[in-house]
Amino acid sequence: MTLRFFMYTMLLKLRIIFSILNIIYAILYRIVLLIRKKPQRIPPITDSLLTFSATALAKKIRQREITCYDVVNTHIQHIKKVNCVLNAVIDYRFVEAIIEAKICDKQLANGKFDIKTLEKEKPLYGIPVTVKECCAVKGCSHTGCSLGRKGMKASHDALVIKLLRNAGAIPVCLTNTPEMCCGVESSNLLHGRTCNPYDTRYTSGGSSGGEGALLGAGASVIGIGSDIIGSVRLPALFNGIFGHKPTAEIISNIGHIPESEDKLYQKLLTFGPMTRYAEDLGVFMKVLTSTSDHNLRLDVPVDLRQLKVYYRFGMDDALGMLPVVPEIKDCVLKTVTHFAQYDIRPEKLPIEWPTELVEIVLSTFMSIKEIPNLLVDASDPKLKKNPAIEILKIPFGLSQYTMQTTIYALMLETHFPFSESDISHYTKQGKAIRQKLLDLLGENGIFIYPTFRCPAIFSKFTLCETLSNVYCAIFNVFGFPAVHVPMGLNHEGLPIGVQVIAAPYQDRLCLAVAKELETAFGGWVPPSISLSK
């Protein structure tokens, strides 16, 4: 009992620390608003090929209206232009991609594939795809953006890359992440920071921030990311694109770093599609799940009139938590109101939504038994570094690790500030809420919820927004599919949008609603455009 009281006090202190941090954050944020410099502009989109979806481009290629070479080369040239500003690309295979595109064109000219075969078996034929660096692409950088793995190359393709290649897609480059995918800021000591294409003073998010930035800038049409605490959906919000976290364990994580055989870790982590257009999510998911044991019925039409729609504007006021800003709440309201035309009466989520969601999420991650090695030592990869010592070294420039990765490592290893009884208590609480939500949503229910409490944040303040990760991370814990849907720009020109959640294996509902909301609210909005043809 005494230990329980002590740990409760520690958890309370943690909340109090974030409350104090929030006050400091509010003061510093206002100062930055007064002194901030003008953002650097990214080069505008000047070629109409960059405005089509992957689905539309693939159809044009099949019908010989355009060449694979033109599609791949146009995207590569725009990647080169915008990357000078964004710093999103950390390795590339531009020459190889051009060669592969020309081979595709030659195969088409020789009649190797007919239109129906391509449509059915190779729906992404000739389409360039960009890849988060944590995902193995043979011959390319596979460091996890860690100094300890500097120079390492992948010896083979991850399974998801094999599936994409089999579908005809052509990998063109690999994109930046936080060190070992730890953090909501794609910044590391190897490659630096990736900027937001809508305003370079803001973060592009993490951990799939390089992917998000290239897609938001119109330089990529489809990309592969990975999500463990919102790492696909947060960059999707910050960069104005679509990002889908699939149902847990339906897509293989083989080829992902950091890696662990721990079953809980495998459940929390998943690769997921990131796109500029909603229709590409469905095609992408069919490819990624083509070897799955679960039939997601992605080809079965969704009758929107039969949907049950639930919503929440955010978490109730809780110590240490920052409130959801009005423009994000407005996105939730617009989404809910939109479904009135289908004679649907959306309902506020009739489940008690506890303020302890933060503790539920954190305690779940503390339950990982086989912790991946986040602090890799260059001289001895098997060496276990002490994260507490590394944190003390960082302010003096004596550590080879970033602060955000070191903090993650410390919490996973020490479970601070949780006791075993705390972890057990919050795990049971999480399972109870999951079951209630599962029963409520069933096979035709969706839940509209913020992806994050605000649009993109200034890069230096990501630590202050740590607790806001819970809006996404709770659905990694529950294993539910969730998609971020862009809904235009706010008064500052930053992307805004909502998260759409469904019960496990009902990914098709998320994707159908994403297409509906894209039609209603416009979807992706280019940062800048000046078409020449």
Side-chain angles (χ1 to χ4, degrees), residues 350-364:
I351 297 174
E352 184 179 354
W353 205 239
T355 56
E356 295 91 347
L357 282 183
V358 171
E359 284 77 12
I360 292 171
V361 167
L362 290 177
S363 64
T364 301

Side-chain angles (χ1 to χ4, degrees), residues 2 117 120 133 168 170 240 246 290 334 345 358 424 434 461 529:
T2 303
T117 300
K120 182 179 179 180
E133 201 263 3
I170 300 174
S290 58
K334 285 181 178 178
R345 298 184 63 180
V358 171
S424 176
R434 181 188 187 277
F461 295 144
I529 189 165

Side-chain angles (χ1 to χ4, degrees), residues 196-489:
N196 189 299
Y198 291 84
D199 190 324
T200 54
R201 296 167 297 187
Y202 289 82
T203 178
S204 65
S207 59
S208 308
E211 276 305 300
L214 278 190
L215 283 155
S220 174
V221 64
I222 55 173
I224 186 76
S226 64
D227 194 310
I228 192 167
I229 58 169
S231 300
V232 160
R233 289 158 290 158
L234 286 179
L237 166 63
F238 291 174
N239 298 282
I241 61 168
F242 294 87
H244 182 60
K245 184 204 84 67
T247 297
E249 300 181 293
I250 62 169
I251 296 175
S252 170
N253 291 328
I254 294 174
H256 185 282
I257 53 171
E259 61 182 343
S260 170
E261 296 299 319
D262 187 274
K263 291 183 179 180
L264 177 57
Y265 180 80
Q266 291 294 325
K267 173 190 171 184
L268 294 168
L269 172 69
T270 180
F271 283 116
M274 303 175 72
T275 70
R276 280 189 279 135
Y277 300 96
E279 67 176 344
D280 293 338
L281 290 174
V283 177
F284 212 150
M285 279 294 292
K286 288 177 189 176
V287 171
L288 295 182
T289 60
S290 58
T291 58
S292 174
D293 294 332
H294 296 281
N295 181 11
L296 298 182
R297 300 181 298 152
L298 294 174
D299 287 320
V300 177
V302 174
D303 184 355
L304 297 177
R305 296 181 185 276
Q306 300 302 314
L307 287 178
K308 298 181 296 183
V309 179
Y310 303 96
Y311 68 94
R312 274 190 71 95
F313 291 111
M315 292 177 61
D316 294 331
D317 293 338
L319 186 64
M321 291 292 296
L322 291 164
V324 175
V325 300
E327 55 201 7
I328 296 296
K329 289 184 178 181
D330 189 50
C331 285
V332 174
L333 181 61
K334 285 181 178 178
T335 301
V336 169
T337 304
H338 173 75
F339 283 100
Q341 65 177 296
Y342 292 105
D343 297 322
I344 295 172
R345 298 184 63 180
E347 181 182 350
K348 187 173 182 181
L349 192 72
I351 297 174
E352 184 179 354
W353 205 239
T355 56
E356 295 91 347
L357 282 183
V358 171
E359 284 77 12
I360 292 171
V361 167
L362 290 177
S363 64
T364 301
F365 280 84
M366 302 305 175
S367 299
I368 297 173
K369 298 293 189 294
E370 298 178 34
I371 303 169
N373 186 13
L374 302 179
L375 305 180
V376 180
D377 187 271
S379 57
D380 185 2
K382 295 183 179 180
L383 182 65
K384 286 286 185 180
K385 303 300 285 275
N386 187 319
I389 293 176
E390 295 301 324
I391 286 176
L392 295 176
K393 291 164 61 176
I394 288 173
F396 304 99
L398 300 176
S399 177
Q400 59 178 317
Y401 312 107
T402 60
M403 181 62 79
Q404 56 186 355
T405 300
T406 312
I407 290 175
Y408 274 80
L410 179 66
M411 294 185 68
L412 288 173
E413 289 186 18
T414 65
H415 295 178
F416 177 83
F418 293 87
S419 68
E420 289 302 319
S421 60
D422 284 325
I423 293 174
S424 176
H425 168 73
Y426 289 119
T427 299
K428 289 179 181 177
Q429 190 176 1
K431 287 181 178 178
I433 297 168
R434 181 188 187 277
Q435 188 60 52
K436 290 179 181 179
L437 193 58
L438 185 63
D439 294 339
L440 183 72
L441 295 180
E443 295 187 354
N444 64 337
I446 60 167
F447 177 32
I448 310 299
Y449 196 53
T451 304
F452 200 69
R453 71 163 205 95
C454 62
I457 51 183
F458 285 125
S459 61
K460 301 301 181 183
F461 295 144
T462 53
L463 179 63
C464 304
E465 295 281 1
T466 299
L467 298 188
S468 299
N469 290 342
V470 70
Y471 287 100
C472 278
I474 191 62
F475 300 107
N476 293 84
V477 171
F478 291 167
F480 286 26
V483 63
H484 171 75
V485 180
M487 294 176 62
L489 308 179

Side-chain angles (χ1 to χ4, degrees), residues 160-182:
V160 290
I161 299 301
K162 291 180 181 179
L163 293 173
L164 286 168
R165 286 186 187 274
N166 289 340
I170 300 174
V172 294
C173 67
L174 286 88
T175 54
N176 202 23
T177 77
E179 181 184 20
M180 299 303 276
C181 296
C182 294

